[in-house]
Amino acid sequence: MESPSEEIKQLESSQTIAVFGFSPNPERPSHYVAKYLQEVGYRIIPVNPALEDGLGEKCYPDLESIPEPVDMVDVFRRSEFVGPVVDGAIAIGAKYIWMQDGVVNEEAAVRARDAGLSVVMDN
């Protein structure tokens, strides 16, 4: 297994990032992180079944509905809800999973790594 810093460095090769759990509230981390990623040149795809768009991009209800390849899935969901997100990331062929600060799901991380995805968790 690679160190967290090596895994984070790999993420820099991502171009398209699905932001799972995107919020329209500018004070929520999922919003301001997505906005920052967009401002520095990444293509972001918001994922939230309750929204039609976010930050000028079409919003999708789940990962499987996204009609283009996704490099990374940036997860803004509580730890207990990460398993299905990881399964979706594996299903769509994502290369990376980033579980944001405070999000820890070891079982899902093992599944992702076993499927060949790089994982950053709670970092």
Side-chain angles (χ1 to χ4, degrees):
M1 179 177 3
E2 298 170 350
S3 75
S5 62
E6 289 169 339
E7 287 179 327
I8 290 171
K9 190 157 186 67
Q10 285 183 351
L11 299 178
E12 294 174 358
S13 68
S14 296
Q15 294 177 3
T16 303
I17 301 172
V19 181
F20 198 100
F22 174 82
S23 171
N25 180 344
E27 295 179 11
R28 302 286 301 179
S30 63
H31 184 95
Y32 60 75
V33 168
K35 185 174 182 186
Y36 170 78
L37 290 169
Q38 193 178 52
E39 288 172 352
V40 297
Y42 292 98
R43 164 119 165 77
I44 63 112
I45 300 173
V47 180
N48 182 325
L51 300 174
E52 291 190 20
D53 57 59
L55 296 174
E57 298 287 341
K58 179 174 172 46
C59 194
Y60 292 90
D62 53 48
L63 295 173
E64 294 84 355
S65 298
I66 299 171
E68 62 187 273
V70 170
D71 298 311
M72 177 173 42
V73 177
D74 196 359
V75 183
F76 291 90
R77 292 284 296 168
R78 291 198 325 243
S79 300
E80 62 266 29
F81 299 123
V82 170
V85 178
V86 166
D87 295 339
I90 293 166
I92 66 166
K95 299 174 194 148
Y96 311 104
I97 291 281
W98 188 312
M99 297 182 218
Q100 288 296 315
D101 289 345
V103 180
V104 177
N105 187 316
E106 293 291 347
E107 184 180 300
V110 167
R111 262 198 331 275
R113 288 185 180 112
D114 286 350
L117 283 73
S118 290
V119 177
V120 174
M121 182 167 50
D122 190 28
N123 189 349

